[in-house]
Amino acid sequence: MVTAPVLEWKTASRLALETLLPSIVWFQLLKQIRMSADIAALYGFEIVLKSLPDPAYWERCKI
């Protein structure tokens, strides 16, 4: 007889939190910045988002 694996809810919820939440927050932030670009332009500012070229920056600059 095969038994179903026991789901560890605490582990699953922590994994979901650590995996999904940063992406959701990041995408919401990007959405807000894109929506604000027109307002910034009215005041003479330009908002530019670009990837950093060196992966070493990614390790030092985390949200």
Side-chain angles (χ1 to χ4, degrees), residues 2-28:
V2 178
T3 59
V6 176
L7 181 60
E8 296 181 20
W9 287 104
K10 184 176 182 180
T11 304
S13 64
R14 178 163 300 282
L15 179 61
L17 180 68
E18 292 172 353
T19 304
L20 298 176
L21 186 63
S23 295
I24 292 169
V25 170
W26 178 243
F27 288 122
Q28 290 297 318

